[in-house]
Amino acid sequence: MDPVTPQPREAESRLRNVALAVHGLYAASFLLGVTVLVGVVLAYMKRADAAGTIYHSHLTYAIRTFWIGLALSVVSFVLSFVGLGFLLGFFALVWFVIRLVRAFLAWNDRRAVERPERFF
């Protein structure tokens, strides 16, 4: 075996750590805001490496969470001028927390995120 090629367990362990880092960066965005950007960039960079593993679903889920969350935030901001944005903003916050908890639970159980393309 080539000494440069990581062993399958090592590669999976690294991907597990990447998934945790992405989820952690998303969680840290409640305090720092911009860490979600670092998380989505990391998810995009490592998703191809995760193909064929359970962590591909984690990274896909994180990427979808970012884009849907951004869309909800923009619509919420626009609607805030007519008073409805605050309700949508609260919904977006709860939605983000639910997705983050689902991702952490799947990561902890060492399983793929079920249907990462779905809204909830």
Side-chain angles (χ1 to χ4, degrees):
M1 186 170 282
D2 186 2
V4 178
T5 305
Q7 299 294 329
R9 281 185 197 225
E10 287 179 35
E12 185 141 341
S13 177
R14 288 183 189 149
L15 290 171
R16 180 171 166 76
N17 290 338
V18 167
L20 178 62
V22 169
H23 300 325
L25 287 164
Y26 276 39
S29 71
F30 286 108
L31 299 174
L32 304 174
V34 298
T35 60
V36 72
L37 295 174
V38 178
V40 75
V41 168
L42 181 60
Y44 268 116
M45 290 175 58
K46 292 297 185 177
R47 185 168 60 165
D49 296 342
T53 70
I54 63 170
Y55 300 109
H56 186 269
S57 71
H58 284 263
L59 300 180
T60 299
Y61 190 73
I63 290 167
R64 297 244 329 141
T65 299
F66 173 80
W67 288 112
I68 295 170
L70 181 63
L72 288 172
S73 298
V74 168
V75 171
S76 173
F77 175 75
V78 170
L79 290 178
S80 68
F81 295 108
V82 294
L84 296 174
F86 300 107
L87 286 173
L88 182 59
F90 180 74
F91 170 79
L93 178 65
V94 171
W95 172 85
F96 187 81
V97 169
I98 289 170
R99 284 186 64 99
L100 193 56
V101 168
R102 284 187 70 231
F104 272 121
L105 290 174
W107 179 87
N108 188 57
D109 293 343
R110 294 181 185 264
R111 61 179 172 79
V113 176
E114 295 176 19
R115 296 186 348 218
E117 71 284 348
R118 69 181 179 190
F119 184 77
F120 262 110

